[in-house]
Amino acid sequence: MSVKSVAAKIFAKVIHNKTQKWVQNPIETQQKVFQNLIASADVTQFGKDHNFKEIKSHEDFAKQVPIRDYEELRPYVDRVVKGEEDILWKGKPIYFAKTSGTTSGAKYIPLTKESMPFHIEAARNAILNYIHETGKTAFVDGKMIFLQGSPILEEKKGIKLGRLSGIVAHFVPKYLQKNRMPSWETNCIEDWETKVDAIVEETFNENMTVISGIPSWVQMYFEKLEQKGNKSVGEIFKNFNLFIYGGVNYEPYRAKFENLIGRKVDSIELFPASEGFFAYQDSQAAKGMLLLLNSGIFYEFVKSEEFFTENPKRYTIGEVELHVNYVLIISTNAGLWAYNIGDTVQFTSLKPYRVIVSGRIKHYISAFGEHVIGKEVECALKEAMENSNIRINEFTVAPQIAPTSGLPYHEWFIEFENEPENLSAFALKIDSEMRNQNSYYDDLIVGKVLKTLVISKVSKNGFQEYMKSIGKLGGQNKIPRLSNDRKIADLLKRK
């Protein structure tokens, strides 16, 4: 065992013990975070506007501070972007994470000197937790690759800005610099296809042990490796045994990945966003990710079915229930207050608090009152593929409200790697699983409001071409699993 491996085990134990202190006291931990946030921001413009000095409890906070999304918080953010101080958080941010807005162009998410360390520590601690749980450390002596955005940063009123993954690239600790790939020059390539080709050339002959990124884009990297070497990724990288991912559910990709790799490898799921690093997988055996309650983020939860009512109840960590779909609301030490990030979660465990990402509050299908969410379509597809050689590259679902004939239906756009022998039978399997999970959908089928779902095959690389056509190929961009309209569907029909 190398010196680095021994040191990693010792450090992993230290971090595990430190983590357990707040894991064992979740409610008290969140209360302390809440009090610190309010006390730190009472001198800001937002704090003054919302009477932070009078806020003593969560009930006070819920009365004074309404839930907002980016557009609703934007008047404050715009002032920060213009260079004003003490608006959402004391002083100025040290970075803006620049993300793509669906209605307002670019969004600028502030990162402060208080919030930035948690982004770095959470990613590190996820790996250390894995080491502590499994005892596996050999991977620390190999090369690690993180498929991410360009680290080249712009500047706005003296504040640097860029993609979160590009900002994080500036914080890789020295002890990982020699292991980290790709090179800085390659990482700075903006065009995604050119970048992946360069990464393949750089890494092909290296001892890659850890690979990380959004599954859909790592899949592109794996396919190019396989084409170059004419053998599986596992044969090219014999010591590759840990895949770290986030952004989307891995399950729809798992069969394809195992085929590309040629064997099963351990994986760690992360739940990062520009707004904060919320959770990471802390167990290879238990379902869900450990919600990070001691990371400068105060969490509130609103039941999805109540979210669009006039005054929905806002639950704290001590009030949540298992398997309920909640909209995640955050207040952070970067100055986001009662902020709706758009993700929905479900708790899989309350001791400790573990979550899965169940979808997006804006990504759903309810054209007929069926209330279908991302988790349901992903689970239905996974179950339908079980014990078969069917493999998919990508998929999305949209309603067909006005077909040329017959009843309306849900249309599933699937890019297959290995097609089913009988597409109609496969569609019926998915449909049956959907009906088992969603009683509203089942009622609509039984009542002959909808007919069973229809699969439309997408040609090879059709989803990549679609993402390229809208300027969102690679990086942190991902295909929505669900749409309540036909915008994506109509473009895919042309592929």
Side-chain angles (χ1 to χ4, degrees), residues 20 192 239 310 378 396 410 472:
Q20 287 308 301
W192 187 253
N239 296 315
E310 188 173 342
E378 289 176 337
T396 193
H410 285 188
K472 291 191 175 184

Side-chain angles (χ1 to χ4, degrees), residues 292-303:
L292 303 181
L293 303 175
N294 194 36
S295 296
I297 301 170
F298 177 70
Y299 299 95
E300 296 175 275
F301 308 89
V302 177
K303 292 180 179 179

Side-chain angles (χ1 to χ4, degrees), residues 8-19:
K9 274 197 171 184
I10 295 170
F11 192 25
K13 186 174 182 179
V14 170
I15 294 300
H16 172 78
N17 292 339
K18 186 178 178 181
T19 301

Side-chain angles (χ1 to χ4, degrees), residues 37-48 51-53 337:
L37 289 174
I38 298 299
S40 297
D42 64 4
V43 297
T44 65
Q45 187 61 57
F46 189 94
K48 292 172 183 176
N51 300 312
F52 273 24
K53 285 189 182 295
W337 300 103

